[in-house]
């Protein structure tokens, strides 16, 4: 295989899709961006712990959701639901109607309303996933443009991303969210999928307006043979806040770049969550907060669990740019290794270019506390019960912050189920 | 009920118990006293099954069973309870969960039906009154943020709920003020019955003013050097431990 091999494969896929809409210039620029960046090389720092050679060797076929594709959907977590199959909104599968103050448009609809196609197909710059975000802009079958009107307080909305095509396919879903000034909204972003091997390459581009609060609950549970790459980028306006509650419980190989750009005074981001790397999952999470203006605040708080041959990488970065005085950045990464073969690499990073700031960071990786384990067993709990209770307690600190009841319940139940399986099969 | 014969135990290369013998019958309260480093806490830990202690010789029988062959949870389910000297804080595991899980594990072992949430609460409320503990403790993490005295009370609360047949108290009295000491003693006394036994490991005689022992033992350098009735505790308080050692050397 030559170095150009994988890129050429995607070029063919791109060519086959050409002229499907009126965004040819944007799409072609995006593709060339991807081609120029290529797959990460062996010395690429942003991909230090995640090797994509297996992904490079696959020739996933592009798909465009056949209207007939049968998909199985999990039970709903919110009063309103949108279902996205292979990157296209399937109105027939979602709930009828949306809450007041919320609209959803396709790329074509947005275009005829006079909106900028370039903005909707924007490629977030920088970081290890820019290449894939560019590939997404080139190949996404449509853009799901979700707009929350100024001052709207809609009921929660669940967006379910499911693959329709089977073995060997690739999907490039793209979601653009604009939360208007003073709005408060809750979105559940749920990624599910079966056991087929596939590539899912997602872009979620979020803009939180001034004084708005957007809560994103990300439930990540694709099958074990899914390659999942995602760029979730949130730009936050003055006194606005983005809350991301992340529950990574799936996929075989996953990479998430979660970036918050605090671009105006007093903008804030809380990026919190947990991941469970059991079986032979490889979960690579890169969280980043850019403090670009005065009085901005960020919290990055993740808890990670690895077991079996699971591997997880958690890299949190907070950058306080020049002039972003009176900013506050807090980072915490706590990790638990349940079995000896598992591995978690964590690295909190602070880069500070302003002098009047408050920053803190901490990272730990360890095993269950032997003293606590003995204490519980000495009261009659089996070793499995004791380990399970301590592991749930470990995750509990992040779970208790998940202030969306149905979402938190699914996360808790899934975690319990998986932990039970894990701890019982332990030698 | 508990029969310990010639027990030897060590931590790493350090020998701590060096031929300890002890017989405890149902209905009795025994106090084991001794200076620091004599092996009191090691004895409690070995009986509860804590890791890191190696038993190199001797036997421990509990109700005719080989206690040392049982896992810690099996000992607990068979009715052995250790009140820890330093109860661990476990944030995120709440007291109510632990108490209920422990109680039901023990009830299953005894062939009794599990208690439901309602029965459990009724039972625990009564015991908490006895221990003068506020109900809000139930929803807090196990020992999380508790003061030293609250932790000890919580140990005795667990004991009162689980109703063990053999209770081992490892320096439960240390660090308690007089009011807390009375409450703890109350809890222990409420458990006294003809088919239960209590072993108090303690440094000081003062707990024995409130919980009257049937037998007092002096543990010194890994062995029981002397046993007697409760007057022995008072004598130790007055004269210290040296005379016991000297007496033993002469003998």
């Amino acid at each position: 295989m030559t170095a150009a091999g994988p890129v050429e494969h995607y070029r063919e896929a791109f060519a086959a899709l050409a002229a499907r809409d009126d965004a040819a210039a944007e799409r072609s620029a995006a593709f060339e961006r991807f081609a120029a960046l290529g797959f990460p090389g062996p010395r690429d720092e942003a991909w230090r712990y995640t090797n994509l050679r297996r992904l490079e060797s696959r020739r996933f076929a592009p798909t465009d959701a056949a209207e007939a594709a049968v998909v199985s959907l999990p039970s709903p977590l919110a009063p309103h639901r949108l279902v996205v199959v292979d990157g296209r909104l399937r109105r027939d599968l979602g709930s009828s109607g949306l809450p007041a103050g919320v609209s959803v448009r396709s790329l074509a609809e947005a275009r005829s309303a006079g909106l900028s196609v370039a903005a909707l197909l924007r490629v977030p710059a920088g970081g290890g996933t820019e290449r894939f975000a560019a590939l997404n802009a080139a190949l996404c079958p449509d853009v799901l443009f979700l707009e929350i009107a100024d001052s709207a307080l809609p009921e929660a909305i669940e967006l379910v991303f499911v693959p329709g095509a089977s073995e060997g396919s690739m999907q490039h879903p793209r979601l653009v969210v604009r939360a208007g000034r003073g709005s408060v909204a809750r979105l559940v972003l749920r990624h599910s999928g079966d056991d087929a091997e596939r590539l899912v390459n997602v872009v979620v581009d979020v803009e939180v307006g001034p004084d708005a609060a957007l809560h994103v609950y990300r439930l990540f549970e694709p099958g074990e043979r899914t390659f999942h790459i995602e760029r979730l980028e949130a730009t936050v306006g003055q006194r606005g806040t983005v809350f991301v509650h992340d529950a990574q419980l799936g996929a075989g190989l996953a990479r998430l770049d979660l970036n918050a750009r605090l671009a105006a005074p007093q903008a804030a981001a809380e990026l919190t969550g947990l991941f469970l790397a059991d079986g032979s999952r490889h979960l690579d999470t890169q969280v980043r907060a850019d403090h670009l203006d005065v009085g901005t605040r960020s919290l990055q708080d993740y808890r990670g669990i690895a077991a079996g041959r699971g591997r997880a990488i958690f890299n949190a970065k907070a950058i306080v740019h020049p002039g972003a005085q009176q900013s506050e950045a807090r980072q915490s990464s706590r990790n638990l290794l349940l079995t000896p073969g598992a591995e978690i690499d964590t690295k909190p990073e602070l880069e500070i270019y302003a002098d009047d700031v408050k920053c803190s960071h901490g990272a730990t990786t360890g095993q269950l506390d032997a003293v606590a384990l003995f204490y519980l067993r000495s009261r009659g709990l089996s070793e499995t019960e004791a380990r399970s209770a301590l592991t749930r307690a470990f995750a509990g600190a992040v779970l208790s912050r998940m202030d969306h009841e149905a979402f938190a319940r699914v996360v808790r139940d899934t975690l319990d189920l998986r932990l039970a399986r894990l701890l019982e099969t332990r030698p | 009920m508990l029969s310990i014969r010639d027990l030897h135990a060590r931590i790493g290369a350090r020998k701590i118990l060096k031929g300890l013998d002890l017989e405890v019958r149902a209905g009795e309260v025994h106090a084991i006293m001794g200076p620091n480093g004599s092996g009191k806490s090691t004895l409690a830990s070995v009986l509860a099954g804590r890791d890191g202690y190696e038993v190199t010789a001797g036997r421990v029988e509990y109700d005719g069973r080989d206690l040392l062959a049982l896992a810690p949870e099996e000992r607990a389910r068979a009715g052995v309870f250790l009140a820890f000297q330093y109860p661990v804080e476990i944030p995120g595991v709440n007291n109510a969960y632990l108490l209920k899980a422990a109680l039901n594990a023990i009830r299953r072992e005894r062939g009794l039906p599990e208690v439901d949430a309602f029965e459990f609460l009724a039972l625990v409320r009564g015991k908490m009154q006895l221990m003068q503990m506020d109900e809000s403790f139930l929803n807090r993490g196990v020992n999380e943020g508790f003061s030293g005295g609250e932790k000890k009370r919580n140990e005795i609360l667990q004991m009162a709920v689980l109703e063990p047949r053999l209770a081992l108290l490892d320096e439960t009295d240390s660090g308690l003020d007089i009011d807390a000491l009375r409450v703890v003693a109350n809890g222990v006394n409420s458990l006294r019955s003809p088919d239960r036994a209590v072993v108090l490991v303690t440094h000081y005689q003062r707990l024995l003013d409130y919980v009257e022992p049937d037998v007092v033992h002096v543990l010194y350098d890994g062995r029981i050097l002397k046993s007697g009735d409760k007057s022995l505790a008072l004598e130790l308080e007055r004269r210290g431990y040296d005379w016991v050692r000297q007496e033993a050397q002469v003998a």
Side-chain angles (χ1 to χ4, degrees):
Chain A
M1 187 179 67
T2 65
V7 170
E8 287 318 304
H9 167 70
Y10 291 98
R11 189 181 291 283
E12 281 165 31
F14 177 62
L17 292 169
R20 86 206 104 134
D21 53 30
D22 294 332
E26 287 80 7
R27 288 186 180 274
S28 152
F31 188 84
E32 292 315 321
R33 185 75 192 130
F34 163 69
L37 291 166
F39 273 79
R43 269 175 288 280
D44 191 328
E45 187 58 28
W47 292 90
R48 188 164 162 200
Y49 295 105
T50 299
N51 187 322
L52 292 183
R53 238 167 309 163
R54 217 150 48 84
L55 173 62
E56 278 182 59
S57 74
R58 301 296 193 270
R59 295 292 174 263
F60 292 115
T63 52
D64 201 348
E67 287 299 309
V70 180
V71 292
S72 69
L73 295 169
S75 46
L77 296 179
H80 302 275
R81 171 181 256 187
L82 297 167
V83 178
V84 181
V85 180
D86 289 350
R88 271 192 197 279
L89 179 63
R90 282 276 302 270
R91 292 188 195 264
D92 58 315
L93 297 176
S95 53
S96 57
L98 281 168
V102 176
S103 68
V104 173
R105 280 179 279 188
S106 66
L107 185 61
E109 287 163 345
R111 185 189 185 87
S112 51
L115 291 155
S116 154
V117 167
L120 295 172
L121 288 172
R122 177 182 92 88
V123 177
T129 51
E130 179 183 345
R131 48 176 60 83
F132 294 105
L135 184 64
N136 171 289
L139 296 180
C140 63
D142 198 357
V143 176
L144 189 66
F145 177 47
L146 189 144
E147 210 171 1
I148 300 152
D150 289 356
S151 308
L153 304 166
E155 285 182 295
I157 305 166
E158 179 186 27
L159 290 99
V160 188
F161 295 87
V162 280
S166 54
E167 191 76 16
S169 64
M170 60 176 171
Q171 285 82 35
H172 301 270
R174 173 172 282 248
L175 169 69
V176 176
V177 178
R178 288 209 188 128
R181 173 186 293 272
S183 65
V184 179
R186 306 203 288 172
L187 300 181
V188 178
L189 304 187
R190 187 169 193 171
H191 299 275
S192 63
D194 58 22
D195 291 331
E197 187 176 60
R198 59 168 65 89
L199 166 64
V200 180
N201 174 32
V202 182
V203 170
V204 179
D205 193 356
V206 174
E207 200 182 303
V208 179
D211 297 303
L214 182 70
H215 301 257
V216 174
Y217 303 87
R218 181 175 184 265
L219 181 53
F220 183 72
E221 46 186 5
E224 277 184 74
R225 293 174 65 228
T226 299
F227 294 90
H228 183 104
I229 294 175
E230 180 168 340
R231 176 77 166 233
L232 200 166
E233 185 112 346
T235 304
V236 186
Q238 187 160 6
R239 290 181 306 273
T241 307
V242 65
F243 299 87
V244 177
H245 301 273
D246 184 17
Q248 295 186 37
L249 305 166
L253 184 150
R255 165 64 174 257
L256 169 69
D257 280 11
L258 170 55
N259 295 350
R261 296 175 52 78
L262 307 172
Q266 282 94 46
E270 289 192 9
L271 314 173
T272 65
L274 58 89
F275 50 84
L276 174 60
D278 54 355
S280 54
R281 286 180 219 285
H282 180 111
L283 305 178
D284 182 348
T285 309
Q286 311 273 324
V287 179
R288 171 175 168 147
D290 279 279
H291 293 255
L292 298 159
D293 214 325
V294 295
T296 47
R297 288 178 298 112
S298 71
L299 169 68
Q300 301 164 319
D301 186 359
Y302 265 71
R303 299 217 166 181
I305 302 168
R309 286 179 296 126
R311 176 91 195 271
I313 296 101
F314 181 77
N315 195 353
K317 194 182 249 186
I319 304 171
V320 182
H321 292 262
Q325 301 295 5
Q326 285 112 48
S327 288
E328 189 182 332
R330 288 178 292 149
Q331 297 178 312
S332 168
S333 162
R334 291 187 56 193
N335 301 287
L336 178 62
L337 300 171
L338 282 182
T339 49
E343 185 176 334
I344 300 181
D345 296 285
T346 181
K347 188 168 65 164
E349 286 180 84
L350 281 169
E351 285 179 30
I352 304 167
Y353 304 102
D355 50 18
D356 180 16
V357 298
K358 263 192 243 167
C359 297
S360 65
H361 66 154
T364 58
T365 301
Q367 291 161 15
L368 290 176
D369 179 3
V371 176
L373 210 49
F374 174 67
Y375 187 89
L376 296 179
R377 292 177 69 192
S378 79
R379 296 299 178 249
L381 275 67
S382 70
E383 188 172 359
T384 303
E385 282 175 289
R387 290 173 66 87
S388 164
L390 292 178
T391 308
R392 277 186 276 127
F394 172 81
V398 167
L399 282 170
S400 64
R401 230 193 324 245
M402 295 178 173
D403 53 355
H404 183 294
E405 210 178 300
F407 171 82
R409 197 178 329 115
V410 170
V411 174
R412 212 179 285 275
D413 289 351
T414 309
L415 209 57
D416 282 354
L417 197 74
R418 294 265 290 281
L419 289 176
R421 215 177 294 154
L422 254 170
L423 296 170
E424 261 148 37
T425 56
R426 199 171 158 271
Chain B
M1 174 182 286
L2 179 71
S3 171
I4 304 178
R5 305 249 171 79
D6 191 34
L7 185 64
H8 289 70
R10 63 185 189 191
I11 305 174
R14 197 155 57 94
K15 291 176 184 160
I16 311 234
L17 299 182
K18 302 170 183 173
L20 186 143
D21 295 291
L22 183 67
E23 288 288 334
V24 179
R25 279 181 292 274
E28 294 177 344
V29 172
H30 288 233
I32 297 179
M33 303 183 70
N36 282 330
S38 56
K40 300 192 300 293
S41 284
T42 297
L43 174 63
S45 293
V46 166
L47 294 178
R50 190 197 285 267
D51 271 350
Y53 297 85
E54 190 192 347
V55 173
T56 51
R59 282 187 60 75
V60 178
E61 272 183 24
Y62 166 71
D63 273 349
R65 297 168 77 179
D66 177 4
L67 186 71
L68 301 179
L70 302 179
E73 59 268 35
E74 292 170 325
R75 299 180 197 198
R77 291 171 195 172
V80 179
F81 181 92
L82 170 65
F84 285 80
Q85 186 180 1
Y86 303 110
V88 63
E89 295 194 21
I90 315 180
V93 175
N94 79 35
N95 280 301
Y97 165 83
L98 171 59
L99 274 173
K100 189 155 175 263
L103 180 62
N104 280 332
I106 290 164
R107 289 179 65 91
R108 278 197 301 273
E109 182 78 13
R110 292 179 187 164
L112 299 169
E114 296 192 10
V115 293
D116 62 28
F118 188 76
E119 296 164 321
F120 171 73
L121 212 61
L123 170 71
V124 170
R125 277 198 182 127
K127 305 290 186 182
M128 292 188 88
Q129 267 166 14
L130 172 73
M131 295 310 298
Q132 300 180 15
M133 287 169 79
D134 190 89
E135 242 179 77
S136 64
F137 274 61
L138 280 178
N139 293 318
R140 285 168 64 183
V142 173
N143 296 318
E144 186 181 4
F146 287 19
S147 70
E150 285 172 336
K151 285 180 184 169
K152 298 294 176 80
R153 264 186 224 208
N154 197 28
E155 294 293 287
I156 303 305
L157 171 70
Q158 292 176 7
M159 186 181 82
V161 170
L162 301 179
E163 302 186 326
R165 294 202 55 228
L166 173 64
L168 311 163
L169 279 69
D170 186 6
E171 303 210 15
T172 300
D173 52 337
S174 63
L176 292 187
D177 63 31
I178 190 67
D179 293 329
L181 189 70
R182 279 205 192 100
V183 171
V184 163
N186 239 340
V188 177
N189 284 329
S190 74
L191 200 75
R192 287 185 90 150
S193 88
D195 57 357
R196 296 202 181 109
V198 178
V199 176
L200 306 167
V201 172
T202 180
H203 208 64
Y204 303 102
Q205 186 271 336
R206 53 181 204 149
L207 177 63
L208 307 182
D209 289 341
Y210 302 94
V211 182
E212 201 174 298
D214 298 299
V215 191
V216 174
H217 308 273
V218 179
L219 179 60
Y220 195 96
D221 194 25
R223 290 188 303 138
I224 302 285
L225 283 195
K226 190 177 177 67
S227 302
D229 62 16
K230 62 180 177 178
S231 66
L232 176 57
L234 294 165
E235 198 170 357
L236 291 170
E237 186 83 350
R238 210 171 55 242
R239 298 176 60 191
Y241 290 101
D242 275 356
W243 65 276
V244 184
R245 185 171 51 86
Q246 281 155 13
E247 200 181 274
Q249 274 168 353
V250 172

